[in-house]
Amino acid sequence: MSGNWETGNGRREPRFASVRRFSRAFGRRAPLLVSRFPIPVSRFLLVLLLATPQPALAQTRGTPALAELVDGLGVSMRVLVIGAHPDDEDTRLIAWLARGRKVETAYLSLTRGDGGQNLIGNELGEALGVIRTEELLAARRIDGAHQYFTRAYDFGFSRSAEETYAHWPREEILGDVIKVVRAFEPHVIVSVFSGTARDGHGQHQVAGMLAREAYDLAGDAARFSEQEFGAAWTPLKFYRSASFRPKEATLSYNAGEFNSLLGRSYAEIAAESRSQHKSQAFGVLQRKGAQMGHVLREASRANESTDAKAERSLFDGIDTTWTRLRPAMRCTASRAAFDSIAIAKSEARRRLDVFEPGKSATALAAIARLTRRAINPDASGVAQGQCRTTNADAIASLATLRDRADEAVQIALGVAVEATAEKASGVVGESTAIRVVVYNRGNLPVRVSGDALASRDGSSNGNGAVLLRPDSSFEYTTTLTPERTSQPWWLTQARRGDLFALPIPAQAADVDPDALQAVIRVGFDGGETTLTTPVVFRFADPVRGEVQRPVAIVPAISVTLDRTVEYVPANAPIERTIRVQLRSAAQSSQDVRVSLSLPNGVSADSAHRTVTLPTFGAVRSAEFRLRGRLASGTHTISATAESAGEKYATGYIPIEYEHIRPQTMYRDAIVRVEATDVKLPAKLNVAYIPGAGDNVAPALRQLGIPLTVVEPASLATMDLSRFTTVVVGPRAYESSDALVSSNARLLEFAHGGGTLVVQYGQYEMMRPGMMPFAITINRPHDRVTDETAPMTVLAPTHPLFNVPNQITDADWRGWIQERSLYMPRTFAEQYVPLLSVNDPGQEPRNGALLVTSYGKGTYVYTTLAFFRQLPAGVPGAARLFANLLGAGRK
């Protein structure tokens, strides 16, 4: 099946089961998808569907995928793994369960990783959360599991559960975890963390605690009402990961087990999955051979009296057979359907032929049909609903079987659907043309429903359906009128503190309610199935080859400013250009009138500008020259665009990386202006070498600092003598081999009389030759996560606290997320420590700001979180950094 998501590895991922989790997650509270979205035999519909990343076998196609699905028809167990962040997942356990044992597996990450750092771009905060969400979904498409999140925003590192709960409302996050457990209905829960101080990170501790609380309380309908949190569910066993303490394990497994069908081990699959966390630099080797994983049983309702170390499986003590579900069949019709499933399974296995997959289609279709009847049989003479099973385990297990059988039917038939748009985006409220092509690449004739089909090689049966013979195709053109923009759903409302505002959905995989999907009904002599595929924009990249991207729904005109926060020097003349960027998604040329709303004391060279956007996809800018003065404090500037009687004041920022699906983030066309009392060292000329996740250079330019961005590759030949100061960005040495190779030149620059300011690095800074004198960094590293932690100035008279800006207690106010990270624990005596800081209850650390004379010049090493403070417009951070730039200069 085509119509696939863009991926970074060049593979196209089939979406056979793109809606499987929707119907199963709602279980007994919602009808099956076919009845929820009725598709008459005589019609072909394009509808807006809940679009989820392919939850199983996404990286396997053709008969290997078919064989995997058939092999999994007999498995009805479910396991939920719970962690705090996207990269906390136990990918080896997940891949071994989902791909190796065909267990329905899911990972619940409490957060989207918004508070982390970014090694591939400069997105931080919510934008980084969007990237890391997509990285997790890319990982799930590889290892075959499902994905869930809670509403918790990752506010950054914390030292304890108590500190974490100061940010997250405990009952609300616990309620989210309960909701996920009840939606997924796992037999077994595995917590990545212990729920103790041993976990280190406070969010890790909370994840471990909430996992156990959810195991204990998910079945309590009195405390967590079924109306709000879903029908009660009682997991049977609870484990904790013991991979880092194998001696405590009660059960071990070999993720390095080789799968001859896939040609890989589950550990190799897990390594590929793990390597999707590219923003966190988590690429790993795909090692062959035995790879042992370990878990510790902590609680069991199934075999509590059995010695945990005698277990041979996660499911010891649990009835894993299908016969456990038969008592849940409530009438003769449902029991008859249920009993027939075993016969159909045997027939599907018997007919499986890797060279002629169509042979198994009839038996597979029978399984899907029988599971539907077993869940909700159409029994004559029985009141409607009385025959429908209400047993949660039966509904979930049968729904999984149905979805696997449906997907297997689609692979066996070899029918593929492409749904493509002519353009990469559509406009809210305007029709978008969609071209749909259905290909029969199998060896069985099929019937495809549709009206007024422009048929190529297919013949109509006179009832609006088309008979599609092998090696033939037909195409159909239709239009859609989307009502909402496409964007990450959890960002459509502003956060409430460190909690996203919108309730989490019951279904898995972070479904996008506004994604466009094509849906058709395909019938053949042995049954029928429904195929769905996302509507994509398809093009050929000269290097990557075919690329398919989901169609983005955007406003006709998008209005953005370059930044959301900017500095200006307070009470000083302002001469600055504000650029308003306009993007058109309209079909025809438009004249757009752009105006600014300015604070008192500032004026523009024009009240408005008129810009012509010639056609779809055009990007133009309107520039305004601002002059005036602003008093110290916070001010705002906003932009508005008008065209054809409509006003536009928001726009989108694309987030695009090859390894994830492209996303659009929306923001108002507003910039917060921080007028800061800052003085600059005289005659500065700064070279700035960018680091990872680094937005510092633009902030320095806004302060009026003459600055040249220097790429590491040019250092080997660049003449640095014209600069007074060289600044190295955060984690720059980790992210650039070229910088490491040229580091001697930077030290030469300082030794010859220049000022070298290096922002924090990680353990690479301990390597000989990285710094002029040695430091050590503890494991785990010393950091101060309380952004309000008191700062003790160790040398109040030192020039860095007095020239040209006198640093006072007020300059430490308003900092965000954290004070310092990766602080040196020890350092050579040549360094002068200038600050002492610590989190509450921790020992003071003196490594946040070190300075030393080096030859004729000065070397400054700082682990203060300037990479967060300066882009956020923190006034005190700007004043202190200005002082650092003049370190050692007269």
Side-chain angles (χ1 to χ4, degrees):
M1 180 176 181
S2 57
N4 311 303
W5 292 122
E6 170 188 2
T7 65
N9 55 18
R11 296 175 182 165
R12 293 178 296 156
E13 302 174 45
R15 296 290 300 252
F16 298 126
S18 58
V19 291
R20 84 165 49 165
R21 295 299 299 157
F22 176 87
S23 55
R24 200 183 74 66
F26 284 96
R28 52 207 169 281
R29 293 178 296 284
L32 298 181
L33 179 65
V34 172
S35 59
R36 194 172 182 85
F37 297 100
I39 305 177
V41 171
S42 62
R43 293 192 58 82
F44 160 78
L45 299 179
L46 266 172
V47 299
L48 294 178
L49 278 186
L50 302 176
T52 66
Q54 168 68 8
L57 312 182
Q59 296 295 309
T60 307
R61 293 180 290 178
T63 52
L66 176 60
E68 278 201 280
L69 286 165
V70 171
D71 188 34
L73 295 176
V75 181
S76 60
M77 291 292 100
R78 296 177 296 279
V79 174
L80 176 65
V81 181
I82 300 178
H85 306 105
D87 52 18
D88 293 338
E89 59 191 344
D90 188 337
T91 51
R92 291 194 301 183
L93 176 62
I94 290 171
W96 181 76
L97 286 170
R99 300 299 296 272
R101 297 300 176 266
K102 309 303 183 290
V103 171
E104 196 83 339
T105 309
Y107 175 55
L108 167 60
S109 175
L110 298 190
T111 76
R112 299 172 185 273
D114 325 76
Q117 296 153 50
N118 185 357
L119 264 290
I120 61 173
N122 57 14
E123 297 89 351
L124 294 173
E126 291 178 350
L128 178 58
V130 171
I131 292 173
R132 298 188 69 184
T133 294
E134 285 298 320
E135 288 178 336
L136 256 189
L137 297 180
R140 296 293 81 82
R141 291 193 287 272
I142 291 167
D143 59 35
H146 308 288
Q147 183 61 51
Y148 290 90
F149 297 94
T150 74
R151 289 173 291 163
Y153 175 76
D154 179 3
F155 55 85
F157 186 83
S158 60
R159 293 192 178 277
S160 66
E162 292 72 24
E163 183 184 343
T164 300
Y165 281 132
H167 292 262
W168 295 347
R170 179 175 187 142
E171 283 299 304
E172 292 193 59
I173 301 301
L174 174 58
D176 284 356
V177 179
I178 295 287
K179 189 174 183 180
V180 170
V181 170
R182 290 182 175 183
F184 187 67
E185 299 165 330
H187 299 95
V188 176
I189 293 176
V190 180
S191 172
V192 174
F193 297 108
S194 68
T196 68
R198 179 169 58 186
D199 298 327
H201 198 322
Q203 294 179 17
H204 292 172
Q205 297 175 42
V206 165
M209 296 162 66
L210 292 180
R212 179 56 195 264
E213 290 179 52
Y215 170 81
D216 292 334
L217 298 172
D220 188 345
R223 180 169 175 182
F224 296 95
S225 71
E226 295 193 345
Q227 182 177 4
E228 182 178 356
F229 298 97
W233 174 260
T234 302
L236 298 178
K237 300 180 76 174
F238 182 83
Y239 289 83
R240 294 194 189 274
S241 174
S243 292
F244 294 106
R245 49 187 197 283
K247 292 183 179 179
E248 299 178 18
T250 57
L251 180 68
S252 299
Y253 61 92
N254 180 18
E257 177 186 341
F258 180 71
N259 185 314
S260 58
L261 184 68
L262 304 176
R264 309 171 73 189
S265 72
Y266 307 115
E268 290 175 280
I269 294 171
E272 183 183 353
S273 171
R274 184 71 168 167
S275 296
Q276 300 311 300
H277 297 285
K278 300 183 190 303
S279 67
Q280 306 305 297
F282 271 13
V284 295
L285 293 173
Q286 298 184 25
R287 299 184 184 278
K288 297 174 175 62
Q291 304 260 334
M292 301 306 296
H294 311 275
V295 293
L296 166 68
R297 195 187 83 188
E298 185 173 294
S300 175
R301 296 183 174 100
N303 61 343
E304 188 174 6
S305 61
T306 303
D307 181 8
K309 291 199 172 183
E311 286 193 336
R312 307 297 296 273
S313 164
L314 285 175
F315 308 109
D316 276 10
I318 301 175
D319 185 356
T320 62
T321 67
W322 284 90
T323 55
R324 77 181 190 280
L325 305 176
R326 194 177 190 280
M329 304 298 106
R330 301 175 64 190
C331 62
T332 302
S334 60
R335 285 190 291 272
F338 183 86
D339 293 342
S340 299
I341 291 174
I343 301 172
K345 287 181 188 176
S346 297
E347 184 67 6
R349 293 189 185 99
R350 188 181 70 82
R351 288 183 171 272
L352 180 62
D353 186 330
V354 295
F355 297 105
E356 293 188 54
K359 289 181 178 180
S360 60
T362 298
L364 291 166
I367 296 172
R369 183 171 59 251
L370 289 167
T371 54
R372 290 181 172 90
R373 290 179 184 172
I375 294 172
N376 191 20
D378 181 14
S380 58
V382 178
Q384 186 176 7
Q386 286 188 7
C387 220
R388 179 180 175 86
T389 182
T390 58
N391 180 280
D393 189 19
I395 293 173
S397 299
L398 288 168
T400 297
L401 175 60
R402 175 202 64 212
D403 295 338
R404 290 178 175 180
D406 268 335
E407 186 171 355
V409 169
Q410 293 159 16
I411 298 174
L413 290 177
V415 176
V417 179
E418 291 179 346
T420 56
E422 294 181 354
K423 299 174 180 177
S425 58
V427 179
V428 174
E430 296 184 8
S431 61
T432 298
I434 308 297
R435 174 178 175 265
V436 180
V437 183
V438 182
Y439 300 90
N440 184 355
R441 300 190 293 181
N443 52 17
L444 296 177
V446 297
R447 299 180 302 277
V448 180
S449 60
D451 287 337
L453 297 175
S455 176
R456 294 199 318 259
D457 305 326
S459 59
S460 174
N461 63 9
N463 296 320
V466 166
L467 177 64
L468 199 60
R469 296 184 175 88
D471 295 322
S472 62
S473 63
F474 72 83
E475 67 181 62
Y476 177 85
T477 302
T478 189
T479 59
L480 285 175
T481 306
E483 299 177 356
R484 295 180 294 276
T485 57
S486 53
Q487 57 182 308
W489 65 266
W490 64 94
L491 297 179
T492 56
Q493 291 185 18
R495 277 188 288 118
R496 294 187 286 109
D498 290 320
L499 197 71
F500 290 110
L502 289 177
I504 62 170
Q507 60 271 27
D510 267 15
V511 296
D512 178 0
D514 300 316
L516 303 182
Q517 292 247 348
V519 181
I520 65 170
R521 177 72 60 80
V522 176
F524 64 106
D525 286 346
E528 63 181 19
T529 187
T530 300
L531 284 85
T532 66
T533 192
V535 178
V536 300
F537 173 64
R538 181 183 186 191
F539 65 96
D541 181 276
V543 176
R544 298 166 61 195
E546 177 166 330
V547 177
Q548 297 189 15
R549 307 171 59 162
V551 174
I553 305 303
V554 299
I557 296 174
S558 168
V559 187
T560 56
L561 300 176
D562 287 342
R563 281 169 285 277
T564 58
V565 180
E566 287 198 15
Y567 286 113
V568 297
N571 303 306
I574 297 172
E575 287 196 17
R576 180 164 300 182
T577 297
I578 290 289
R579 186 173 71 104
V580 182
Q581 187 180 76
L582 306 171
R583 295 173 182 264
S584 173
Q587 303 297 324
S588 57
S589 175
Q590 296 188 84
D591 290 331
V592 183
R593 187 174 185 266
V594 184
S595 58
L596 295 180
S597 175
L598 300 171
N600 293 332
V602 176
S603 61
D605 59 351
S606 175
H608 61 83
R609 295 261 194 271
T610 299
V611 177
T612 299
L613 291 173
T615 184
F616 176 89
V619 179
R620 297 289 187 273
S621 295
E623 293 187 348
F624 295 84
R625 188 69 179 172
L626 304 186
R627 290 182 172 83
R629 291 174 182 262
L630 286 175
S632 178
T634 302
H635 311 269
T636 58
I637 296 173
S638 61
T640 304
E642 297 182 56
S643 180
E646 297 287 338
K647 289 188 176 182
Y648 304 90
T650 61
Y652 66 91
I653 305 299
I655 296 180
E656 298 189 13
Y657 293 94
E658 288 188 9
H659 68 298
I660 61 174
R661 299 177 302 178
Q663 297 291 312
T664 51
M665 287 188 65
Y666 284 80
R667 68 188 191 199
D668 294 332
I670 296 175
V671 58
R672 173 168 59 87
V673 179
E674 290 293 339
T676 302
D677 289 313
V678 60
K679 299 175 184 177
L680 303 180
K683 299 180 180 179
L684 269 183
N685 190 11
V686 175
Y688 193 94
I689 303 168
D694 190 353
N695 292 303
V696 168
L700 298 181
R701 281 195 175 121
Q702 294 156 19
L703 295 169
I705 296 170
L707 183 145
T708 301
V709 173
V710 175
E711 293 302 326
S714 65
L715 284 173
T717 56
M718 175 173 283
D719 179 10
L720 298 176
S721 63
R722 64 189 178 96
F723 299 109
T724 61
T725 307
V726 174
V727 179
V728 178
R731 297 178 72 175
Y733 290 102
E734 179 187 359
S735 57
S736 173
D737 292 336
L739 176 60
V740 174
S741 299
S742 297
N743 189 52
R745 294 212 66 221
L746 298 182
L747 294 177
E748 273 179 27
F749 167 80
H751 198 272
T755 299
L756 179 58
V757 179
V758 178
Q759 297 176 70
Y760 92 99
Q762 295 190 349
Y763 298 103
E764 71 278 1
M765 302 308 295
M766 296 193 298
R767 288 158 47 187
M770 297 298 287
M771 296 175 63
F773 309 107
I775 65 168
T776 66
I777 302 174
N778 197 51
R779 293 180 184 269
H781 65 95
D782 295 322
R783 64 193 304 172
V784 178
T785 62
D786 183 352
E787 63 271 27
T788 66
M791 304 293 288
T792 301
V793 177
L794 299 177
T797 61
H798 195 282
L800 289 187
F801 296 122
N802 294 279
V803 180
N805 302 288
Q806 186 173 10
I807 304 303
T808 68
D809 288 344
D811 290 302
W812 303 112
R813 297 173 192 155
W815 285 49
I816 63 169
Q817 187 161 326
E818 56 194 341
R819 289 287 200 197
S820 184
L821 64 171
Y822 287 91
M823 290 187 291
R825 172 69 66 90
T826 66
F827 39 84
E829 62 181 9
Q830 289 90 339
Y831 291 110
V832 177
L834 298 180
L835 288 171
S836 182
V837 62
N838 57 277
D839 276 327
Q842 302 293 310
E843 292 184 24
R845 299 299 178 196
N846 300 343
L849 181 56
L850 304 177
V851 62
T852 183
S853 296
Y854 187 59
K856 298 178 181 179
T858 302
Y859 183 95
V860 177
Y861 185 67
T862 178
T863 61
L864 293 171
F866 286 113
F867 74 101
R868 295 196 191 278
Q869 315 311 321
L870 294 173
V874 177
R879 288 163 46 82
L880 177 58
F881 206 91
N883 288 7
L884 302 187
L885 296 176
R889 300 184 64 235
K890 294 181 180 181

